[in-house]
Every structure is written in C-alpha cells, then in structure tokens.
Amino acid sequence: MRNWPRKFPWRTLGSRMRELELDFPGLRIGVAEYDDGPTGCTVFHFAGGATVERDVRGGSPGTFGELDWVDAICFAGGSLYGLEAATGVAAELFAQRDFDTGWMSIAAVAGAIIFDWGTRDNNVYPDKELGRAALRNAREGRFPLGRRGAGRNATVGKTFGLELAEPGGQGGAFRTIGETRVAVFTVVNAVGAIVDRKGNVVRGHLDRPTGARRTLVEGVEERVAGGRPVHPAPGNTTLTLVTTNQRLERELLRQLGRQVHASMARAIHPFHALTDGDVLFAATTNEVENEALDSVALGVIASELAWDAVLGAVVD
C-alpha cells in the first residue's frame, strides 16, 4: 500500500468515455483520477466567476470555502482528505495568474467531498496535485459521465449494507431556453437507490440471487419482521451543481438551490439521510435577463435536468 498519492500518475479525460456535450461559454470542466485508488476529482471553472449559494441537507457533509462568489468549484473523493484537491485548484489558478497577490486576484474556490472508501482498501485520496491536474485539463463543452472524476469509485444502494452496493458515478444534463442556459451536474454516491421516471429502481437494492430489485419499504418490512436491524452503511454523499447564466438576486438563487435539491428525492431514495452528506451548489454567472422565465419556472426546468443527471450517472 502506497502512502503518498501525489507520487501516482494521474489520468485525465480519455477518448472512450461517455460525455455530455453542452454549450455554456465560460464554464470549463476538468477531471483527473488516480487509478491506484481508484478515486478522482471534478472541477468546474467559471472563467468570469460566479455568484454561488449552497444547500446542505445531508447529515454528514464535508465542504470547503464558505464563499458567496467563486472562480471554481471542486468535487472530490477521499472524504475530508479529498478537500486538499480544492487547494490544488486554487494553487493552479494562482500560477495561471502569474502569482498575482492583489486582493481581487486571490483565487476563490469552493468544494465538497464524497466518501469513496469502503469498497477499496488503500489510503489514496485526491490531493493537491490531482486538483491542479483537473484544472489544467478543464475545457468548455463537455462533461464526462459515469465512473469518472469525483464519481470514479462512487457507489449507491447501500440502505441494507455495503455488500449490496452497486456502482454510482457522475452525471449531467443541459438545456437552453431562449438566451438562458442551465446545467445540472451531480456526483451520486448515495445510501439510497436510483429511481427512474416510471418509479422503478434501476440501481441499488439488488437481490443478487434472484436478480430482483425490491422497493425500500419491502426491504425494511422484511428485515424488521425477521428481527434484522436496518443499519445503512455510513459514508454516502450526493454532490450537485446547478448553474445558469440567468441573472438572479441572491435570495432567488438560494431558493432555486433548495427547489432543485428537494426535487432530487424523486430520483434518489432515501435522500438526505443521516448517513448522507448531500450538498448542492447553485451558481449563476449573471449574464442574461429573461423576463419570460422567473426563478420558479427555472427551478422546474433545473429539477427535471437534475433527475436526468442522476440517471446519467448510473445508467449506460
């Protein structure tokens, strides 16, 4: 077992991965991974900066940078140790700005982490070098889907124990309404199972001997009737970014985040549990006005995109 993940070679975007294509000028996305974990991080770099609000609902969150304006947001594995990746993003921005120490040039980076140990037995985590690599790799117009970046070793469906876990990942969805652009990106490492739009569980709660997927209620009732305790595995988190270019006052941006985060319980069940660290960032670049699309309607669109993003994280 190696002690210092910074000695490992990292892997960045490849040519064979599933990707979401999007048209969001000024938003650059990059990932970097350690195969030796496996683990990774995902960076969202706003070239012109963005106003941000956060909605923290899980019982066990881990966040970095309590800021209301950011240059970048970093999602990472490695639990609290993975927050180091966010400092790497800041360090790389510092270098790209020729080490300018002026007050208005200080890199503003926020971040959050998932616990992606449990199915692996090593001490590899996304460190400063991996954060720097992800930012250097950031590009406009594409977002890798599935077991990539911060979702490299994510798992879902652990309500009845880690032995029933299945792969999670990261997903995204994008839409344009007039001049308004809205995108949702999520890293799904949930204790809950993933539910499609027909109400069917499509990932998690799998009875491997039969291949059947039971509903959460059926599973709880069966265990309680049999005298078996229901103790969900600890170390779960779904991280989400909903971002738009539409101008929103801070209060409206905050409420948009709440609206979208609450809606995600349709796709993940259970959600916001004690053993989850669910965090959503709502960000806007404040570039366009769209009087025909108020914040509530924008939330409706973003909430549907969030469901698409969750499904895109786990369904090939």
Side-chain angles (χ1 to χ4, degrees), residues 24-43:
F24 201 125
L27 175 60
R28 302 167 183 168
I29 304 171
V31 305
E33 302 160 5
Y34 286 135
D35 284 336
D36 292 57
T39 190
C41 62
T42 302
V43 173

mmCIF file with all atom_site columns, all heavy atoms in Angstrom, residues 24-43:
data_model
loop_
_atom_site.group_PDB
_atom_site.id
_atom_site.type_symbol
_atom_site.label_atom_id
_atom_site.label_alt_id
_atom_site.label_comp_id
_atom_site.label_asym_id
_atom_site.label_entity_id
_atom_site.label_seq_id
_atom_site.pdbx_PDB_ins_code
_atom_site.Cartn_x
_atom_site.Cartn_y
_atom_site.Cartn_z
_atom_site.occupancy
_atom_site.B_iso_or_equiv
_atom_site.pdbx_formal_charge
_atom_site.auth_seq_id
_atom_site.auth_comp_id
_atom_site.auth_asym_id
_atom_site.auth_atom_id
_atom_site.pdbx_PDB_model_num
ATOM 1   N N   . PHE A 1 24 ? -22.093 26.126 -22.969 1.00 0.00 ? 24 PHE A N   1
ATOM 2   C CA  . PHE A 1 24 ? -22.134 27.053 -21.831 1.00 0.00 ? 24 PHE A CA  1
ATOM 3   C C   . PHE A 1 24 ? -20.816 27.811 -21.826 1.00 0.00 ? 24 PHE A C   1
ATOM 4   O O   . PHE A 1 24 ? -19.874 27.456 -21.111 1.00 0.00 ? 24 PHE A O   1
ATOM 5   C CB  . PHE A 1 24 ? -22.329 26.286 -20.526 1.00 0.00 ? 24 PHE A CB  1
ATOM 6   C CG  . PHE A 1 24 ? -22.865 27.109 -19.389 1.00 0.00 ? 24 PHE A CG  1
ATOM 7   C CD1 . PHE A 1 24 ? -24.008 26.716 -18.718 1.00 0.00 ? 24 PHE A CD1 1
ATOM 8   C CD2 . PHE A 1 24 ? -22.224 28.272 -18.977 1.00 0.00 ? 24 PHE A CD2 1
ATOM 9   C CE1 . PHE A 1 24 ? -24.521 27.467 -17.667 1.00 0.00 ? 24 PHE A CE1 1
ATOM 10  C CE2 . PHE A 1 24 ? -22.713 29.030 -17.927 1.00 0.00 ? 24 PHE A CE2 1
ATOM 11  C CZ  . PHE A 1 24 ? -23.878 28.630 -17.271 1.00 0.00 ? 24 PHE A CZ  1
ATOM 12  N N   . PRO A 1 25 ? -20.722 28.879 -22.623 1.00 0.00 ? 25 PRO A N   1
ATOM 13  C CA  . PRO A 1 25 ? -19.458 29.617 -22.709 1.00 0.00 ? 25 PRO A CA  1
ATOM 14  C C   . PRO A 1 25 ? -18.990 30.117 -21.346 1.00 0.00 ? 25 PRO A C   1
ATOM 15  O O   . PRO A 1 25 ? -19.788 30.607 -20.538 1.00 0.00 ? 25 PRO A O   1
ATOM 16  C CB  . PRO A 1 25 ? -19.822 30.797 -23.628 1.00 0.00 ? 25 PRO A CB  1
ATOM 17  C CG  . PRO A 1 25 ? -20.977 30.298 -24.440 1.00 0.00 ? 25 PRO A CG  1
ATOM 18  C CD  . PRO A 1 25 ? -21.767 29.430 -23.514 1.00 0.00 ? 25 PRO A CD  1
ATOM 19  N N   . GLY A 1 26 ? -17.717 29.966 -21.097 1.00 0.00 ? 26 GLY A N   1
ATOM 20  C CA  . GLY A 1 26 ? -17.132 30.418 -19.846 1.00 0.00 ? 26 GLY A CA  1
ATOM 21  C C   . GLY A 1 26 ? -17.106 29.394 -18.747 1.00 0.00 ? 26 GLY A C   1
ATOM 22  O O   . GLY A 1 26 ? -16.458 29.617 -17.716 1.00 0.00 ? 26 GLY A O   1
ATOM 23  N N   . LEU A 1 27 ? -17.790 28.263 -18.940 1.00 0.00 ? 27 LEU A N   1
ATOM 24  C CA  . LEU A 1 27 ? -17.759 27.181 -17.957 1.00 0.00 ? 27 LEU A CA  1
ATOM 25  C C   . LEU A 1 27 ? -16.843 26.084 -18.474 1.00 0.00 ? 27 LEU A C   1
ATOM 26  O O   . LEU A 1 27 ? -17.118 25.446 -19.489 1.00 0.00 ? 27 LEU A O   1
ATOM 27  C CB  . LEU A 1 27 ? -19.158 26.621 -17.718 1.00 0.00 ? 27 LEU A CB  1
ATOM 28  C CG  . LEU A 1 27 ? -19.238 25.397 -16.799 1.00 0.00 ? 27 LEU A CG  1
ATOM 29  C CD1 . LEU A 1 27 ? -18.687 25.708 -15.412 1.00 0.00 ? 27 LEU A CD1 1
ATOM 30  C CD2 . LEU A 1 27 ? -20.664 24.866 -16.717 1.00 0.00 ? 27 LEU A CD2 1
ATOM 31  N N   . ARG A 1 28 ? -15.747 25.871 -17.773 1.00 0.00 ? 28 ARG A N   1
ATOM 32  C CA  . ARG A 1 28 ? -14.760 24.860 -18.158 1.00 0.00 ? 28 ARG A CA  1
ATOM 33  C C   . ARG A 1 28 ? -14.776 23.737 -17.130 1.00 0.00 ? 28 ARG A C   1
ATOM 34  O O   . ARG A 1 28 ? -14.773 24.003 -15.925 1.00 0.00 ? 28 ARG A O   1
ATOM 35  C CB  . ARG A 1 28 ? -13.371 25.493 -18.240 1.00 0.00 ? 28 ARG A CB  1
ATOM 36  C CG  . ARG A 1 28 ? -13.297 26.646 -19.227 1.00 0.00 ? 28 ARG A CG  1
ATOM 37  C CD  . ARG A 1 28 ? -12.029 27.455 -19.069 1.00 0.00 ? 28 ARG A CD  1
ATOM 38  N NE  . ARG A 1 28 ? -12.008 28.598 -19.980 1.00 0.00 ? 28 ARG A NE  1
ATOM 39  C CZ  . ARG A 1 28 ? -11.140 29.601 -19.897 1.00 0.00 ? 28 ARG A CZ  1
ATOM 40  N NH1 . ARG A 1 28 ? -10.209 29.604 -18.941 1.00 0.00 ? 28 ARG A NH1 1
ATOM 41  N NH2 . ARG A 1 28 ? -11.196 30.605 -20.759 1.00 0.00 ? 28 ARG A NH2 1
ATOM 42  N N   . ILE A 1 29 ? -14.784 22.512 -17.610 1.00 0.00 ? 29 ILE A N   1
ATOM 43  C CA  . ILE A 1 29 ? -14.895 21.353 -16.722 1.00 0.00 ? 29 ILE A CA  1
ATOM 44  C C   . ILE A 1 29 ? -13.722 20.420 -16.967 1.00 0.00 ? 29 ILE A C   1
ATOM 45  O O   . ILE A 1 29 ? -13.382 20.111 -18.115 1.00 0.00 ? 29 ILE A O   1
ATOM 46  C CB  . ILE A 1 29 ? -16.218 20.599 -16.972 1.00 0.00 ? 29 ILE A CB  1
ATOM 47  C CG1 . ILE A 1 29 ? -17.407 21.546 -16.799 1.00 0.00 ? 29 ILE A CG1 1
ATOM 48  C CG2 . ILE A 1 29 ? -16.337 19.410 -16.030 1.00 0.00 ? 29 ILE A CG2 1
ATOM 49  C CD1 . ILE A 1 29 ? -18.729 20.955 -17.236 1.00 0.00 ? 29 ILE A CD1 1
ATOM 50  N N   . GLY A 1 30 ? -13.110 19.976 -15.866 1.00 0.00 ? 30 GLY A N   1
ATOM 51  C CA  . GLY A 1 30 ? -11.994 19.048 -15.987 1.00 0.00 ? 30 GLY A CA  1
ATOM 52  C C   . GLY A 1 30 ? -12.041 17.977 -14.918 1.00 0.00 ? 30 GLY A C   1
ATOM 53  O O   . GLY A 1 30 ? -12.557 18.210 -13.819 1.00 0.00 ? 30 GLY A O   1
ATOM 54  N N   . VAL A 1 31 ? -11.528 16.814 -15.244 1.00 0.00 ? 31 VAL A N   1
ATOM 55  C CA  . VAL A 1 31 ? -11.420 15.741 -14.265 1.00 0.00 ? 31 VAL A CA  1
ATOM 56  C C   . VAL A 1 31 ? -10.000 15.205 -14.256 1.00 0.00 ? 31 VAL A C   1
ATOM 57  O O   . VAL A 1 31 ? -9.256  15.338 -15.223 1.00 0.00 ? 31 VAL A O   1
ATOM 58  C CB  . VAL A 1 31 ? -12.399 14.568 -14.548 1.00 0.00 ? 31 VAL A CB  1
ATOM 59  C CG1 . VAL A 1 31 ? -13.828 15.065 -14.657 1.00 0.00 ? 31 VAL A CG1 1
ATOM 60  C CG2 . VAL A 1 31 ? -11.994 13.805 -15.801 1.00 0.00 ? 31 VAL A CG2 1
ATOM 61  N N   . ALA A 1 32 ? -9.637  14.602 -13.141 1.00 0.00 ? 32 ALA A N   1
ATOM 62  C CA  . ALA A 1 32 ? -8.374  13.869 -13.026 1.00 0.00 ? 32 ALA A CA  1
ATOM 63  C C   . ALA A 1 32 ? -8.589  12.745 -12.026 1.00 0.00 ? 32 ALA A C   1
ATOM 64  O O   . ALA A 1 32 ? -9.398  12.884 -11.095 1.00 0.00 ? 32 ALA A O   1
ATOM 65  C CB  . ALA A 1 32 ? -7.239  14.786 -12.593 1.00 0.00 ? 32 ALA A CB  1
ATOM 66  N N   . GLU A 1 33 ? -7.889  11.644 -12.223 1.00 0.00 ? 33 GLU A N   1
ATOM 67  C CA  . GLU A 1 33 ? -8.138  10.445 -11.421 1.00 0.00 ? 33 GLU A CA  1
ATOM 68  C C   . GLU A 1 33 ? -6.845  9.726  -11.076 1.00 0.00 ? 33 GLU A C   1
ATOM 69  O O   . GLU A 1 33 ? -5.858  9.811  -11.810 1.00 0.00 ? 33 GLU A O   1
ATOM 70  C CB  . GLU A 1 33 ? -9.044  9.471  -12.195 1.00 0.00 ? 33 GLU A CB  1
ATOM 71  C CG  . GLU A 1 33 ? -10.379 10.057 -12.604 1.00 0.00 ? 33 GLU A CG  1
ATOM 72  C CD  . GLU A 1 33 ? -11.024 9.292  -13.742 1.00 0.00 ? 33 GLU A CD  1
ATOM 73  O OE1 . GLU A 1 33 ? -10.467 8.241  -14.150 1.00 0.00 ? 33 GLU A OE1 1
ATOM 74  O OE2 . GLU A 1 33 ? -12.080 9.733  -14.233 1.00 0.00 ? 33 GLU A OE2 1
ATOM 75  N N   . TYR A 1 34 ? -6.868  9.044  -9.941  1.00 0.00 ? 34 TYR A N   1
ATOM 76  C CA  . TYR A 1 34 ? -5.824  8.091  -9.585  1.00 0.00 ? 34 TYR A CA  1
ATOM 77  C C   . TYR A 1 34 ? -6.403  6.687  -9.752  1.00 0.00 ? 34 TYR A C   1
ATOM 78  O O   . TYR A 1 34 ? -7.308  6.289  -9.018  1.00 0.00 ? 34 TYR A O   1
ATOM 79  C CB  . TYR A 1 34 ? -5.375  8.283  -8.136  1.00 0.00 ? 34 TYR A CB  1
ATOM 80  C CG  . TYR A 1 34 ? -4.513  9.497  -7.884  1.00 0.00 ? 34 TYR A CG  1
ATOM 81  C CD1 . TYR A 1 34 ? -4.753  10.320 -6.792  1.00 0.00 ? 34 TYR A CD1 1
ATOM 82  C CD2 . TYR A 1 34 ? -3.446  9.806  -8.730  1.00 0.00 ? 34 TYR A CD2 1
ATOM 83  C CE1 . TYR A 1 34 ? -3.962  11.433 -6.543  1.00 0.00 ? 34 TYR A CE1 1
ATOM 84  C CE2 . TYR A 1 34 ? -2.648  10.915 -8.490  1.00 0.00 ? 34 TYR A CE2 1
ATOM 85  C CZ  . TYR A 1 34 ? -2.905  11.726 -7.407  1.00 0.00 ? 34 TYR A CZ  1
ATOM 86  O OH  . TYR A 1 34 ? -2.116  12.825 -7.164  1.00 0.00 ? 34 TYR A OH  1
ATOM 87  N N   . ASP A 1 35 ? -5.893  5.953  -10.713 1.00 0.00 ? 35 ASP A N   1
ATOM 88  C CA  . ASP A 1 35 ? -6.354  4.580  -10.902 1.00 0.00 ? 35 ASP A CA  1
ATOM 89  C C   . ASP A 1 35 ? -6.004  3.704  -9.713  1.00 0.00 ? 35 ASP A C   1
ATOM 90  O O   . ASP A 1 35 ? -6.684  2.707  -9.443  1.00 0.00 ? 35 ASP A O   1
ATOM 91  C CB  . ASP A 1 35 ? -5.742  3.978  -12.173 1.00 0.00 ? 35 ASP A CB  1
ATOM 92  C CG  . ASP A 1 35 ? -6.411  4.507  -13.433 1.00 0.00 ? 35 ASP A CG  1
ATOM 93  O OD1 . ASP A 1 35 ? -7.573  4.951  -13.343 1.00 0.00 ? 35 ASP A OD1 1
ATOM 94  O OD2 . ASP A 1 35 ? -5.774  4.494  -14.505 1.00 0.00 ? 35 ASP A OD2 1
ATOM 95  N N   . ASP A 1 36 ? -4.931  4.054  -8.988  1.00 0.00 ? 36 ASP A N   1
ATOM 96  C CA  . ASP A 1 36 ? -4.497  3.248  -7.856  1.00 0.00 ? 36 ASP A CA  1
ATOM 97  C C   . ASP A 1 36 ? -5.482  3.317  -6.699  1.00 0.00 ? 36 ASP A C   1
ATOM 98  O O   . ASP A 1 36 ? -5.385  2.544  -5.750  1.00 0.00 ? 36 ASP A O   1
ATOM 99  C CB  . ASP A 1 36 ? -3.108  3.696  -7.372  1.00 0.00 ? 36 ASP A CB  1
ATOM 100 C CG  . ASP A 1 36 ? -2.022  3.393  -8.382  1.00 0.00 ? 36 ASP A CG  1
ATOM 101 O OD1 . ASP A 1 36 ? -2.148  3.858  -9.521  1.00 0.00 ? 36 ASP A OD1 1
ATOM 102 O OD2 . ASP A 1 36 ? -1.065  2.701  -8.030  1.00 0.00 ? 36 ASP A OD2 1
ATOM 103 N N   . GLY A 1 37 ? -6.416  4.252  -6.718  1.00 0.00 ? 37 GLY A N   1
ATOM 104 C CA  . GLY A 1 37 ? -7.434  4.330  -5.670  1.00 0.00 ? 37 GLY A CA  1
ATOM 105 C C   . GLY A 1 37 ? -8.451  3.191  -5.775  1.00 0.00 ? 37 GLY A C   1
ATOM 106 O O   . GLY A 1 37 ? -8.428  2.269  -4.974  1.00 0.00 ? 37 GLY A O   1
ATOM 107 N N   . PRO A 1 38 ? -9.349  3.283  -6.801  1.00 0.00 ? 38 PRO A N   1
ATOM 108 C CA  . PRO A 1 38 ? -9.461  4.434  -7.674  1.00 0.00 ? 38 PRO A CA  1
ATOM 109 C C   . PRO A 1 38 ? -10.208 5.564  -6.987  1.00 0.00 ? 38 PRO A C   1
ATOM 110 O O   . PRO A 1 38 ? -11.057 5.351  -6.145  1.00 0.00 ? 38 PRO A O   1
ATOM 111 C CB  . PRO A 1 38 ? -10.265 3.895  -8.857  1.00 0.00 ? 38 PRO A CB  1
ATOM 112 C CG  . PRO A 1 38 ? -11.132 2.831  -8.250  1.00 0.00 ? 38 PRO A CG  1
ATOM 113 C CD  . PRO A 1 38 ? -10.323 2.212  -7.150  1.00 0.00 ? 38 PRO A CD  1
ATOM 114 N N   . THR A 1 39 ? -9.853  6.785  -7.384  1.00 0.00 ? 39 THR A N   1
ATOM 115 C CA  . THR A 1 39 ? -10.528 7.967  -6.855  1.00 0.00 ? 39 THR A CA  1
ATOM 116 C C   . THR A 1 39 ? -10.249 9.114  -7.811  1.00 0.00 ? 39 THR A C   1
ATOM 117 O O   . THR A 1 39 ? -9.432  8.984  -8.730  1.00 0.00 ? 39 THR A O   1
ATOM 118 C CB  . THR A 1 39 ? -10.055 8.290  -5.429  1.00 0.00 ? 39 THR A CB  1
ATOM 119 O OG1 . THR A 1 39 ? -10.892 9.294  -4.848  1.00 0.00 ? 39 THR A OG1 1
ATOM 120 C CG2 . THR A 1 39 ? -8.610  8.771  -5.410  1.00 0.00 ? 39 THR A CG2 1
ATOM 121 N N   . GLY A 1 40 ? -10.920 10.247 -7.612  1.00 0.00 ? 40 GLY A N   1
ATOM 122 C CA  . GLY A 1 40 ? -10.700 11.351 -8.529  1.00 0.00 ? 40 GLY A CA  1
ATOM 123 C C   . GLY A 1 40 ? -11.375 12.623 -8.083  1.00 0.00 ? 40 GLY A C   1
ATOM 124 O O   . GLY A 1 40 ? -11.974 12.690 -7.002  1.00 0.00 ? 40 GLY A O   1
ATOM 125 N N   . CYS A 1 41 ? -11.265 13.645 -8.927  1.00 0.00 ? 41 CYS A N   1
ATOM 126 C CA  . CYS A 1 41 ? -11.913 14.919 -8.647  1.00 0.00 ? 41 CYS A CA  1
ATOM 127 C C   . CYS A 1 41 ? -12.433 15.520 -9.940  1.00 0.00 ? 41 CYS A C   1
ATOM 128 O O   . CYS A 1 41 ? -11.963 15.203 -11.036 1.00 0.00 ? 41 CYS A O   1
ATOM 129 C CB  . CYS A 1 41 ? -10.979 15.886 -7.929  1.00 0.00 ? 41 CYS A CB  1
ATOM 130 S SG  . CYS A 1 41 ? -9.499  16.355 -8.840  1.00 0.00 ? 41 CYS A SG  1
ATOM 131 N N   . THR A 1 42 ? -13.411 16.395 -9.791  1.00 0.00 ? 42 THR A N   1
ATOM 132 C CA  . THR A 1 42 ? -14.044 17.085 -10.915 1.00 0.00 ? 42 THR A CA  1
ATOM 133 C C   . THR A 1 42 ? -14.076 18.570 -10.593 1.00 0.00 ? 42 THR A C   1
ATOM 134 O O   . THR A 1 42 ? -14.518 18.954 -9.509  1.00 0.00 ? 42 THR A O   1
ATOM 135 C CB  . THR A 1 42 ? -15.477 16.568 -11.136 1.00 0.00 ? 42 THR A CB  1
ATOM 136 O OG1 . THR A 1 42 ? -15.447 15.160 -11.372 1.00 0.00 ? 42 THR A OG1 1
ATOM 137 C CG2 . THR A 1 42 ? -16.128 17.266 -12.314 1.00 0.00 ? 42 THR A CG2 1
ATOM 138 N N   . VAL A 1 43 ? -13.621 19.383 -11.538 1.00 0.00 ? 43 VAL A N   1
ATOM 139 C CA  . VAL A 1 43 ? -13.519 20.825 -11.315 1.00 0.00 ? 43 VAL A CA  1
ATOM 140 C C   . VAL A 1 43 ? -14.397 21.570 -12.311 1.00 0.00 ? 43 VAL A C   1
ATOM 141 O O   . VAL A 1 43 ? -14.387 21.277 -13.515 1.00 0.00 ? 43 VAL A O   1
ATOM 142 C CB  . VAL A 1 43 ? -12.063 21.300 -11.455 1.00 0.00 ? 43 VAL A CB  1
ATOM 143 C CG1 . VAL A 1 43 ? -11.975 22.817 -11.398 1.00 0.00 ? 43 VAL A CG1 1
ATOM 144 C CG2 . VAL A 1 43 ? -11.205 20.681 -10.362 1.00 0.00 ? 43 VAL A CG2 1
#
